[in-house]
Amino acid sequence: MTDGTNPPSSPQPEPAPGSGYGFPPGPPAHNGYGYPAGGGGYGYGYPQFEQQPNPYQQEADGGQWPPATQAQPGFTRLAGPDVPGASQQPDWEAMAERSDAERRRKKLWMLGGAVTVLALLAGGGTFFLLGGAGGGEGADAKPSASTPASPEPGNSTSPQAYTATVAGDDTLLRDSYGQTGIRLGPDLRVSPLGKRFQVIGKGNGNSWGQSAEPVVDVTKSFTITARAYSSATKGSRIVMSQGDGESYSFELGVNEVNGKQAWIFRVQTGDKGAEATTRTVAAEGLTVLKTPTLLMATYDAEKKAIALYVDGKKAGETPVPTIWQAPGPLQLGRSRHHDIWTGPWQGGLHNIRVYDSAFTQEQAAGYKEGKLSPAPKPAHAWLLP
């Protein structure tokens, strides 16, 4: 606030001729304006470099020091008297060239590193899948929420991220070796499992998956395999089956045997699903609940026998006359009994494969250890490592 009169003012002096506002008149001093005096030697806004003795350079020059007014690399001297501490102007063109060269080197280095990583991933994935008999059986893992990053299986021409579903449709499992996708029901959903993928079922009527057509020719030899993690404490829980008519052709999963849960492989030899025409192999006495397990079921058309392997070990074998060829496609997470869907899956499933041959006991053990050679190529495969 004021008392109505103009406050006293302190007129600023006019700048002296030849100087700008805020700078003192006269030629530049040894030190720039606003910077402390001393050995630094600063000019107007640009640093001045005072040469310091360099014993290595002195020795190389025969004991002679370079001139004190020699310009630093990347700088050009300003026009003016050759006096110690004179300003030097940066050589912007040279600095820009060096910067561009550095960027190019970094870009090439990063590109080379990325190519190397991709090559290693591709090579490791090929060994994992092919050298491991297509099974890649290693440490078991429980359902997880970590981010997957698995290589493309098969004979891909270029490395890329493995995808469990068809591009643009996250409800259709991609067949990595054939052309048959599996459509997922509302409660059988894809989820990451470490570096792999799995489907998780809730154990209700919507926990199913279905192909568009039959996948297994039950009139010929075949092998089906999957990794399963069951979280159901009771009841029938089917990993996979085939058929959607009155009854199934085969089913692989969990059932109660002698009052306890057991892994089973069951086939139907008659078209009505009667108990008398059913053949079953069971693996009793094993822990089923919340235990990651490798299941493998085979049918040998020449021997006319079915067999079940659990974690590479033979659980049993039984003769069958023939397997009834039920109409309908492959099923995940359920089976058809007397026109009713049964055995809804509860838990996780992955690494599902179908082979057009019957594995022997030695091949089953080799598949589990990832040492099956030569590695047979599956006819169909879903949710690979």
Side-chain angles (χ1 to χ4, degrees):
M1 295 179 65
T2 67
D3 57 2
T5 64
N6 293 326
S9 61
S10 300
Q12 299 297 319
E14 291 295 327
S19 62
Y21 284 99
F23 296 94
H30 176 67
N31 298 289
Y33 189 78
Y35 292 93
Y42 295 88
Y44 286 99
Y46 295 101
Q48 302 303 302
F49 294 86
E50 181 176 339
Q51 299 294 333
Q52 298 296 326
N54 185 332
Y56 300 102
Q57 182 64 41
Q58 184 182 31
E59 182 179 354
D61 293 340
Q64 299 297 320
W65 298 108
T69 57
Q70 180 179 344
Q72 300 298 314
F75 287 80
T76 57
R77 288 181 50 82
L78 289 174
D82 188 11
V83 294
S87 300
Q88 293 179 346
Q89 176 67 27
D91 187 346
W92 301 113
E93 184 176 351
M95 294 174 69
E97 290 176 357
R98 285 198 301 274
S99 179
D100 289 340
E102 183 65 18
R103 281 196 295 269
R104 286 194 295 271
R105 282 195 298 271
K106 289 182 179 179
K107 184 180 294 185
L108 290 174
W109 182 86
M110 293 175 67
L111 180 61
V115 170
T116 301
V117 170
L118 289 175
L120 289 173
L121 287 175
T126 302
F127 175 82
F128 185 68
L129 295 170
L130 301 183
E137 304 307 333
D140 295 321
K142 297 181 180 181
S144 165
S146 57
T147 303
S150 299
E152 181 75 13
N155 53 356
S156 301
T157 56
S158 60
Q160 53 183 315
Y162 171 74
T163 56
T165 56
V166 174
D169 189 345
D170 59 2
T171 66
L172 185 63
L173 294 183
R174 183 172 65 87
D175 187 347
S176 297
Y177 287 89
Q179 301 296 323
T180 306
I182 295 180
R183 179 67 63 185
L184 300 178
D187 290 331
L188 188 65
R189 310 300 295 171
V190 176
S191 175
L193 175 65
K195 293 184 177 181
R196 296 170 274 188
F197 289 95
Q198 64 180 346
V199 286
I200 297 179
K202 294 183 178 181
N204 58 29
N206 289 324
S207 301
W208 55 267
Q210 177 175 288
S211 64
E213 57 189 8
V215 169
V216 180
D217 185 350
V218 296
T219 67
K220 301 177 181 180
S221 296
F222 65 85
T223 295
I224 56 174
T225 182
R227 274 198 168 273
Y229 180 88
S230 175
S231 58
T233 58
K234 61 181 180 180
S236 173
R237 304 294 172 176
I238 301 303
V239 172
M240 73 175 94
S241 68
Q242 185 162 283
D244 63 357
E246 188 171 353
S247 184
Y248 59 92
S249 282
F250 65 82
E251 61 181 8
L252 173 66
V254 179
N255 207 347
E256 291 189 6
V257 178
N258 297 322
K260 295 182 179 181
Q261 285 188 320
W263 297 111
I264 59 97
F265 177 46
R266 181 180 290 126
V267 299
Q268 186 54 250
T269 63
D271 61 356
K272 299 298 183 182
E275 187 71 23
T277 57
T278 300
R279 300 291 184 271
T280 303
V281 178
E284 298 184 68
L286 301 179
T287 302
V288 173
L289 181 64
K290 296 183 179 180
T291 303
T293 305
L294 171 63
L295 299 175
M296 178 180 289
T298 67
Y299 170 61
D300 190 323
E302 294 184 5
K303 292 174 58 177
K304 291 191 179 301
I306 60 172
L308 173 64
Y309 299 87
V310 179
D311 287 331
K313 298 179 180 180
K314 193 171 186 177
E317 179 179 291
T318 190
V320 296
T322 57
I323 298 178
W324 177 58
Q325 194 170 4
L330 184 76
Q331 306 289 330
L332 292 185
R334 65 181 181 179
S335 182
R336 194 75 169 172
H337 284 245
H338 305 291
D339 280 331
I340 298 173
W341 290 114
T342 63
W345 182 255
Q346 181 176 321
L349 299 172
H350 74 97
N351 204 1
I352 301 166
R353 300 171 188 249
V354 174
Y355 294 87
D356 291 335
S357 62
F359 279 26
T360 64
Q361 186 169 349
E362 292 74 18
Q363 286 178 308
Y367 182 91
K368 170 62 173 68
E369 299 300 324
K371 298 178 181 179
L372 181 59
S373 181
K377 181 179 179 181
H380 304 275
W382 304 270
L383 298 164
L384 297 182

